Amino acid sequence: SLRGKVVLLDIWHSRCYNCIKQFPELQGIYESYRQDPAVKVFALNIPMPDDSSKHPARFTDPYQFGKLYFADSVEYHRFAKEALPLTLVLDKNGVCRYAGQLNTEWNVYVGNIRRVINQLKDE
């Protein structure tokens, strides 16, 4: 259902302070593209062994961006080895075109999330 859309995935877990600290910034990006049907913004949670079903959600409940949770432990192990927070931007074909930090500062040219999203929207 996301084919044809630019998708931002912010990958995080409940023990990552830097992940949780950047949720207001992720909310700002969501608000920038909320009315744009060509862009979707999600936070994707990697579960920790002691997370209950509600534990991770308490960090994202105050925000409006999309929330996704790994349901399959085999799949999340592919991302569990990466340094978090990790932001991925997928193009309209589902190909990862950016992997890195959630950079939104006006003076960041390479890797600025808004620039990457806008470029991919125009392709």
Side-chain angles (χ1 to χ4, degrees):
S1 67
L2 296 175
R3 289 271 184 214
K5 299 178 187 338
V6 176
V7 177
L8 182 149
L9 290 174
D10 181 64
I11 303 172
W12 69 284
H13 66 72
S14 62
R15 291 187 189 156
C16 174
Y17 174 73
N18 288 333
C19 298
I20 296 163
K21 186 172 83 171
Q22 74 181 18
F23 286 158
E25 190 174 355
L26 185 63
Q27 178 67 25
I29 293 169
Y30 166 79
E31 289 171 6
S32 296
Y33 295 101
R34 168 174 59 198
Q35 301 296 327
D36 189 337
V39 179
K40 296 295 180 188
V41 176
F42 297 99
L44 175 59
N45 176 256
I46 294 178
M48 301 278 45
D50 59 343
D51 281 348
S52 68
S53 62
K54 243 344 228 176
H55 184 258
R58 72 184 170 103
F59 297 112
T60 56
D61 280 348
Y63 302 103
Q64 298 171 321
F65 49 75
K67 291 118 182 162
L68 301 173
Y69 302 90
F70 277 106
D72 182 344
S73 64
V74 173
E75 279 299 309
Y76 88 76
H77 282 295
R78 291 174 50 191
F79 292 98
K81 297 176 183 104
E82 299 295 328
L84 298 181
L86 175 63
T87 302
L88 305 178
V89 179
L90 310 178
D91 68 15
K92 295 175 185 177
N93 296 312
V95 176
C96 182
R97 301 280 294 274
Y98 174 85
Q101 298 299 312
L102 188 64
N103 294 323
T104 58
E105 295 84 18
W106 66 271
N107 61 342
V108 175
Y109 181 72
V110 176
N112 182 294
I113 290 298
R114 287 184 174 89
R115 184 190 61 77
V116 171
I117 290 171
N118 291 333
Q119 178 184 355
L120 294 175
K121 278 179 41 178
D122 293 340
E123 286 184 357

